[in-house]
Amino acid sequence: MVLKTQENDADVKTFIESVGHPQKVTDGLALLELMTKMTGKHAKMWGNSIVGFGKYTYQNTSGGGAWPITGFSPRKTALSVYIMPGFDEFSEELKRLGKHKLGKSCLYINKLADIDLDVLKTIVTKSIRIMEQRYPCE
């Protein structure tokens, strides 16, 4: 099975600046800078709407593939921050984060001003460590 969302060479800043909503653009550029510093990785586009950092490979019943270790997308309704191990190990951090919603591996934030950025940094850093322990990572 070929995954629809693949790493590609599209320009990350061009994508963020094309989002259209001024606050999402500002927050997207801030997340780009923050996650680049935190991960030490260059941002890459995954599909046409995910900004990813690093890469891990996995195997599953459909064969497996590759996916960013962490990343984000400045979507119309919210900023989506990808916390790939899920949130089982983040209950204390989530209590201190501020206004957010959760999906399976997505942290939804309306705007960065709604959260504590230091807590977000802790969550992302811990998430990366967990992924590096579980999977082969680049």
Side-chain angles (χ1 to χ4, degrees):
M1 178 178 104
V2 176
L3 292 175
K4 186 170 100 173
T5 305
Q6 296 286 324
E7 181 180 12
N8 63 71
D9 291 326
D11 187 74
V12 172
K13 283 189 178 180
T14 299
F15 160 67
I16 294 170
E17 291 167 351
S18 75
V19 170
H21 187 282
Q23 186 65 54
K24 297 291 188 275
V25 171
T26 299
D27 286 349
L29 292 171
L31 276 175
L32 175 63
E33 183 177 338
L34 179 77
M35 290 184 134
T36 299
K37 286 180 184 174
M38 289 177 56
T39 65
K41 308 276 186 195
H42 293 290
K44 296 287 289 187
M45 288 300 301
W46 286 74
N48 60 5
S49 63
I50 296 174
V51 178
F53 297 85
K55 178 171 37 176
Y56 72 98
T57 55
Y58 62 91
Q59 292 295 315
N60 60 22
T61 56
S62 61
W67 197 254
I69 297 170
T70 193
F72 70 93
S73 185
R75 303 204 184 266
K76 187 176 184 179
T77 56
L79 296 165
S80 298
V81 179
Y82 299 101
I83 307 298
M84 299 316 300
F87 298 99
D88 291 344
E89 299 178 54
F90 297 93
S91 58
E92 290 304 312
E93 294 88 348
L94 292 170
K95 289 177 189 175
R96 298 181 287 118
L97 180 61
K99 187 178 175 183
H100 68 278
K101 293 181 183 178
L102 299 177
K104 183 173 179 169
S105 292
C106 290
L107 177 62
Y108 300 107
I109 302 163
N110 187 40
K111 58 187 179 292
L112 291 182
D114 289 343
I115 63 164
D116 183 324
L117 284 178
D118 287 332
V119 175
L120 178 64
K121 290 178 194 177
T122 299
I123 291 170
V124 171
T125 300
K126 186 175 175 180
S127 167
I128 292 168
R129 280 197 315 265
I130 292 168
M131 293 304 291
E132 289 174 340
Q133 291 170 357
R134 291 183 184 171
Y135 298 95
C137 297
E138 294 178 30

